[in-house]
Amino acid sequence: DFKWLPDGRGLLALYAQKGPDYLRRSQIGFFPEDGAEFQPITRDTNSYQTLTLSGDGKTLATVQAKTTQNLYLLPGTGSDKPDSNPLLPAGQYLDGFDWSADGNLVVSDFIHLSRVGTQGNLSTNLLGDSNAAIVDVAGCGSHYLVFSWAFHGDGNSTNIWRANLDGTNPVKLTDGKNNRSPVCSIDEKWTYFWDRLLQQLWRVPLDGSGKAEMLA
């Protein structure tokens, strides 16, 4: 959201800082019309949605948003239990998850990829970057994981990466601006992904031997 001050001195905006919290923590800031330095208005751990401004430009109104998440496993045959226990500890943030070839789950909390056992009794950090965000993850056959990594290496883009099942040997597969939602082909030769900037479906060789190519 953007709102001009009534006197035209500048623009109020909801914004997110570069880093692991960019999708879950929006703040309010001020862009002066004369091109002077950007000024944060809020500096806290909450997130804000929507932005309204009173007619005299003296009062802001917004919605403070707090999100909680839980991950549950249910048997495919159904369950007669009225309640299920979450797999992860209460309060742990979860952005995405998928099955890995060893029968465990791989989950992203934005900063790290972790392997979690189906009973919640095994949790191992595989890889991560405290200055970056892992926003998608997918199991990729018997050898690899693929995921979208934003800001890794101090860049401003989100690209597709591949790593071994244990998190070792991460390899960058794409060089786009906003590459998301990777999935692997059954033969483990290609990773398909969505280019959000171009709104197109692309694919790239999983072994890193070639450049990405557009499909549709």
Side-chain angles (χ1 to χ4, degrees):
D1 280 349
F2 300 94
K3 301 294 181 184
W4 279 103
L5 290 177
D7 58 10
R9 289 188 299 109
L11 190 68
L12 297 164
L14 291 177
Y15 74 100
Q17 289 185 308
K18 175 181 174 180
D21 289 331
Y22 85 105
L23 284 179
R24 58 177 175 173
R25 184 169 169 256
S26 295
Q27 298 290 297
I28 303 171
F30 174 64
F31 292 91
E33 189 274 337
D34 60 6
E37 186 176 352
F38 170 75
Q39 302 171 23
I41 294 175
T42 59
R43 304 169 182 261
D44 54 54
T45 58
N46 299 305
S47 185
Y48 299 97
Q49 299 177 358
T50 74
L51 185 62
T52 61
L53 183 65
S54 62
D56 59 9
K58 295 182 178 180
T59 305
L60 282 171
T62 185
V63 176
Q64 185 184 91
K66 295 183 179 181
T67 302
T68 59
Q69 297 174 319
N70 290 306
L71 177 63
Y72 297 89
L73 291 182
L74 299 175
T77 55
S79 174
D80 57 3
K81 295 181 180 180
D83 298 304
S84 298
N85 294 320
L87 189 66
L88 300 177
Q92 181 169 339
Y93 192 87
L94 176 70
D95 179 67
F97 65 93
D98 199 7
W99 293 98
S100 63
D102 58 9
N104 293 302
L105 287 167
V106 179
V107 302
S108 167
D109 65 357
F110 264 125
I111 298 175
H112 303 98
L113 280 183
S114 301
R115 181 173 59 244
V116 179
T118 56
Q119 302 300 317
N121 56 351
L122 172 68
S123 181
T124 304
N125 281 342
L126 301 178
L127 59 83
D129 178 352
S130 60
N131 296 313
I134 298 173
V135 291
D136 302 298
V137 60
C140 190
S142 58
H143 299 94
Y144 299 116
L145 304 169
V146 290
F147 49 96
S148 297
W149 216 347
F151 312 125
H152 183 57
D154 202 33
N156 288 322
S157 60
T158 303
N159 292 118
I160 306 301
W161 288 69
R162 182 205 75 202
N164 296 334
L165 284 180
D166 61 359
T168 60
N169 193 32
V171 175
K172 185 180 178 182
L173 299 180
T174 69
D175 292 300
K177 295 295 185 182
N178 194 0
N179 304 149
R180 297 288 302 274
S181 306
V183 294
C184 286
S185 59
I186 299 299
D187 59 11
E188 299 181 37
K189 292 183 178 180
W190 297 93
T191 298
Y192 291 76
F193 64 93
W194 185 247
D195 189 310
R196 285 197 172 185
L197 181 65
L198 301 175
Q199 291 292 293
Q200 293 170 333
L201 179 66
W202 289 63
R203 71 176 185 177
V204 65
L206 182 61
D207 61 7
S209 62
K211 293 185 178 181
E213 58 185 45
M214 184 184 68
L215 296 178

